[in-house]
Amino acid sequence: MRLRKRLLPYARNWQLYLLLVPVIAYYVVFEYVPMYGVQIAFKNFLASKGIWGSPWVGFKHFERFFESYFFWRLLLNTLGISLYQLAVGFPVPILLALMINEVRKPLFRRFVQTVTYAPHFLSTVVLVGLLFIFLNPNTGLVNNFLKLIGLEPVAFMTEPGWFKSIYVLSGVWQQMGWSSIIYLAALSGIDPQLHEAARVDGATRLQRIRHVNLPGIMPTIIILLILQIGSLMGVGFEKVFLMQNSLNMDSSDVISTYVYRSGILGAQYSFSAAVGLFNSVVNFVLLLLVNLIARRMNQTSLW
Amino acid sequence: MGETRGDRAFDIVNILFLCIITVLVIYPLLFVLSASISNPAKVFAGELWLWPKEITFDGYKRIFANKDIMTGYGNTILYTFVGTAVNVVLTICAAYPMSRKDLKGRNVLTVLIVFTMFFTGGLIPTYLIVKDLGLLDSIWAMILPNAIAVYNVIIMRTYFQTSIPSEMQEAASIDGCDNFRILTRVVLPLSMPILAVMVLFYSVAHWNAFFNALIYLSDRTKFPLQLILREILIQGQTQDMVDMNDDTLMRKMMEAESIKYGVVVVANLPVLMLYPFLQRYFVKGMMIGALKG
């Protein structure tokens, strides 16, 4: 009888649990089994014995990675691109949202939004393809323009010094509009009375943006900042990989592309799983750390 | 409350800035469109700045005559349809139970799902699982490993919780509806905006997907459009599309360029055409996710 009472809430919603079966199956198979499979980073993976049967080797692969010639280059590029992106790519959508929010002609506002969201829907392949087209040293529009004003054409895509700037600025071009949506949502949630009060006190537009709008969206900013810093080591594979070529490798090789090269192409599963795990762990620790700091400082945090 | 001079100056500067940004964003897109229907010689010589010159559709003819691109297009359409259907159904399966406050074990489930946003097994273990399951080189490798996106589950769950009164669900339950019926007869019909958002998000992701194909597919006949695009746009493999009878190398290079502009347009047209219609929905969806995530 008592057992039946305990089981009742489950039994009543059995259909909901049935719905969850495929969901749980997905998470187990494609998320949690790989997490468990991460142990191959500490093993010498032998295809014949599988992940579970292969012999343990401890931190051997990690040591090999830390001592390898590539380690510092990969780490510095990964962090370099991320920090650059954080410094430039993070504030731009905030500024854009603040600016769009000040537009009072609804038609113009809609137009700006529609246009700036559009590049978000281009695929990474197409975006990088566009970069190659526009930055081509002989036929590209940018170099045509440079020639027009009497400057030397630049081989943007093969010059290591240009890689990070092109990566970050094209990312801003593609994502600023889309990323601004969240801030616009937060801005629309600000109490109009605050603006009224500020206006009565004689605040100018700029002052109201600084003292009403900006503080109003601060919690959103902090949450997104935490998430960004928490993925500092997670420079996206796709775009870097597509922009990469043998000539710009010095500044374009990052951990994720290295994992792909040594793991999928080179079939060194254990070694590149170790590299990947190092990356995820640093990332996760960063996230915890930043979240902790944010919580200490002003009570806004992810959890 | 009158406008001060400073306020008006601010307005002008603001609008000016936004105009510049808008031009910077839209110009490359318009240029590609113009270049794709212009005489390649004019584009090559740098004479094209905005409006098409000497309109020709030769580039498009070559694109539509190319087998790889057309197979890729077909594959992408297939992956997008099947993939989006699986995504949306599974996202509902996850989001609806999670939205029910009376579901036991809901918090554990949420934690387990959200945790995967921050920590993953990584590329190699995931690859090995897909390989062990025998999914390599099959359509399922393009669909199953990304069958659910956590972020979308959260958006949908939030929508269910905030936009559909729980009293309505209770009433249906008292009237004798079981949970399936509540979901299909009450909740889903009221969730069209969020379903539209999900369809848009997932289908765009499938349309643009490149990573899974790169890793899991080696059979060319299964390649999605994006892999073919990579060969054309980035690796510059346009030889087999250019007319070999063309006399000069210059001519071939020009045609190759014109093909590049054309494929960019062809690849994005469906998405870009769809999106203004869905815009109000996705903005809403983003906001729901952003405000109460």
Side-chain angles (χ1 to χ4, degrees):
Chain A
M1 196 58 197
R2 204 187 293 151
L3 187 72
R4 251 180 67 192
K5 214 171 199 171
R6 281 232 327 256
L7 286 178
L8 192 69
Y10 296 98
R12 203 183 52 227
N13 284 329
W14 68 272
Q15 288 175 323
L16 297 183
Y17 293 103
L18 192 64
L19 286 176
L20 285 170
V21 168
V23 176
I24 290 167
Y26 164 79
Y27 279 102
V28 169
V29 174
F30 291 104
E31 296 288 346
Y32 282 95
V33 173
M35 276 186 220
Y36 182 62
V38 139
Q39 58 178 280
I40 67 163
F42 305 95
K43 290 184 161 187
N44 242 351
F45 179 72
L46 300 168
S48 57
K49 296 196 172 164
I51 296 176
W52 331 120
S54 300
W56 293 96
V57 293
F59 286 90
K60 194 182 98 182
H61 301 296
F62 291 89
E63 281 161 20
R64 193 182 130 206
F65 175 55
F66 296 146
E67 282 157 15
S68 86
Y69 158 77
F70 292 106
F71 178 70
W72 286 107
R73 182 171 94 169
L74 292 169
L75 193 65
L76 291 178
N77 280 338
T78 307
L79 281 175
I81 294 174
S82 290
L83 288 171
Y84 192 162
Q85 186 161 260
L86 190 69
V88 179
F90 189 74
V92 170
I94 301 172
L95 288 174
L96 185 67
L98 289 172
M99 285 165 74
I100 291 176
N101 192 53
E102 293 300 317
V103 175
R104 278 163 306 175
K105 297 194 176 65
L107 215 67
F108 181 66
R109 191 188 158 113
R110 271 259 300 282
F111 176 71
V112 173
Q113 285 179 284
T114 307
V115 169
T116 50
Y117 298 163
H120 172 81
F121 293 93
L122 299 178
S123 72
T124 316
V125 177
V126 166
L127 178 74
V128 177
L130 289 179
L131 289 175
F132 274 99
I133 291 177
F134 283 113
L135 301 177
N136 185 306
N138 302 315
T139 60
L141 192 72
V142 173
N143 278 309
N144 280 346
F145 180 73
L146 287 181
K147 278 181 249 172
L148 199 75
I149 57 171
L151 292 173
E152 284 294 306
V154 182
F156 292 100
M157 296 306 284
T158 49
E159 189 83 50
W162 277 101
F163 183 85
K164 294 188 175 75
S165 297
I166 294 170
Y167 180 90
V168 170
L169 295 178
S170 62
V172 169
W173 179 82
Q174 188 179 22
Q175 300 298 353
M176 64 179 169
W178 188 255
S179 317
S180 70
I181 296 179
I182 293 183
Y183 299 112
L184 282 168
L187 282 168
S188 69
I190 292 174
D191 189 349
Q193 288 186 352
L194 287 173
H195 279 286
E196 281 307 315
R199 221 178 308 177
V200 171
D201 288 345
T204 64
R205 293 278 287 277
L206 268 177
Q207 281 171 328
R208 276 189 284 133
I209 293 173
R210 239 190 89 191
H211 299 290
V212 180
N213 284 347
L214 207 54
I217 59 173
M218 212 27 117
T220 313
I221 294 179
I222 302 233
I223 295 275
L224 291 181
L225 191 64
I226 296 172
L227 283 173
Q228 282 260 308
I229 295 177
S231 59
L232 214 51
M233 298 284 289
V235 171
F237 167 85
E238 282 193 27
K239 199 169 150 200
V240 176
F241 173 75
L242 290 166
M243 286 174 67
Q244 204 166 58
N245 52 53
S246 53
L247 295 169
N248 63 23
M249 216 55 170
D250 273 343
S251 61
S252 70
D253 205 12
V254 295
I255 293 179
S256 59
T257 54
Y258 185 67
V259 170
Y260 170 76
R261 266 206 319 282
S262 61
I264 304 291
L265 299 182
Q268 303 180 52
Y269 294 129
S270 285
F271 175 66
S272 63
V275 177
L277 180 60
F278 164 75
N279 198 26
S280 325
V281 169
V282 174
N283 227 337
F284 195 57
V285 171
L286 271 176
L287 182 76
L288 295 178
L289 211 68
V290 178
N291 194 49
L292 190 78
I293 294 170
R295 200 163 47 183
R296 286 272 161 81
M297 274 171 42
N298 53 30
Q299 285 106 42
T300 312
S301 67
L302 282 181
W303 56 80
Chain B
M1 198 66 49
E3 291 240 308
T4 68
R5 274 231 324 255
D7 286 351
R8 245 169 296 152
F10 174 89
D11 254 339
I12 293 168
V13 173
N14 187 37
I15 287 177
L16 203 69
F17 255 114
L18 285 173
C19 284
I20 294 172
I21 291 171
T22 312
V23 168
L24 281 177
V25 172
I26 208 170
Y27 178 71
L29 301 175
L30 290 179
F31 181 89
V32 169
L33 198 62
S34 286
S36 74
I37 53 169
S38 294
N39 181 347
K42 297 282 174 194
V43 184
F44 217 64
E47 281 178 39
L48 188 86
W49 289 103
L50 182 60
W51 301 118
K53 288 200 166 157
E54 297 178 20
I55 292 178
T56 155
F57 292 94
D58 277 0
Y60 286 101
K61 278 183 204 141
R62 283 174 210 284
I63 290 166
F64 286 108
N66 181 277
K67 238 180 55 205
D68 277 346
I69 294 180
M70 287 302 117
T71 317
Y73 223 98
N75 286 337
T76 292
I77 291 173
L78 174 72
Y79 299 157
T80 302
F81 266 95
V82 180
T84 306
V86 170
N87 286 146
V88 171
V89 169
L90 282 180
T91 303
I92 294 169
C93 287
Y96 181 65
M98 280 169 70
S99 76
R100 288 273 299 258
K101 297 217 162 60
D102 60 331
L103 185 85
K104 284 252 174 193
R106 174 169 165 263
N107 292 333
V108 181
L109 194 73
T110 310
V111 169
L112 284 179
I113 288 179
V114 171
F115 180 67
T116 62
M117 262 176 115
F118 301 113
F119 196 85
T120 62
L123 174 63
I124 302 298
T126 311
Y127 173 81
L128 289 175
I129 297 299
V130 173
K131 195 176 159 197
D132 287 346
L133 290 173
L135 300 180
L136 289 188
D137 258 332
S138 84
I139 165 174
W140 299 110
M142 298 296 294
I143 289 163
L144 293 181
N146 298 318
I148 308 179
V150 179
Y151 191 72
N152 290 346
V153 172
I154 295 173
I155 291 180
M156 201 173 211
R157 184 206 60 184
T158 310
Y159 183 92
F160 287 155
Q161 279 175 349
T162 54
S163 306
I164 297 169
S166 59
E167 293 80 16
M168 205 179 237
Q169 301 188 37
E170 278 157 28
S173 159
I174 290 166
D175 287 345
C177 278
D178 58 15
N179 281 319
F180 281 148
R181 265 169 182 271
I182 295 177
L183 177 61
T184 53
R185 297 287 161 83
V186 180
V187 175
L188 289 182
L190 290 171
S191 305
M192 283 309 147
I194 202 72
L195 289 174
V197 173
M198 292 294 127
V199 168
L200 179 75
F201 280 5
Y202 280 124
S203 58
V204 168
H206 279 291
W207 190 269
N208 291 335
F210 161 77
F211 185 70
N212 280 8
L214 176 76
I215 293 183
Y216 301 131
L217 300 184
S218 51
D219 176 359
R220 272 189 81 81
T221 60
K222 296 208 173 74
F223 277 8
L225 186 60
Q226 299 296 334
L227 276 192
I228 309 290
L229 286 180
R230 170 180 171 231
E231 292 176 353
I232 296 170
L233 290 172
I234 294 162
Q235 300 173 327
Q237 291 170 14
T238 37
Q239 298 91 332
D240 56 333
M241 297 179 65
V242 177
D243 195 346
M244 276 307 148
N245 298 323
D246 278 336
D247 31 2
T248 63
L249 181 69
M250 193 64 185
R251 180 85 210 144
K252 278 177 201 157
M253 275 172 70
M254 286 193 301
E255 273 174 8
E257 284 301 303
S258 129
I259 287 168
K260 286 183 186 173
Y261 290 112
V263 290
V264 168
V265 176
V266 170
N268 286 292
L269 217 51
V271 176
L272 286 181
M273 271 174 20
L274 202 65
Y275 121 91
F277 301 103
L278 290 166
Q279 192 180 340
R280 63 199 176 97
Y281 288 126
F282 72 65
V283 170
K284 203 184 210 171
M286 280 281 288
M287 288 180 176
I288 292 167
L291 290 176
K292 293 150 189 165

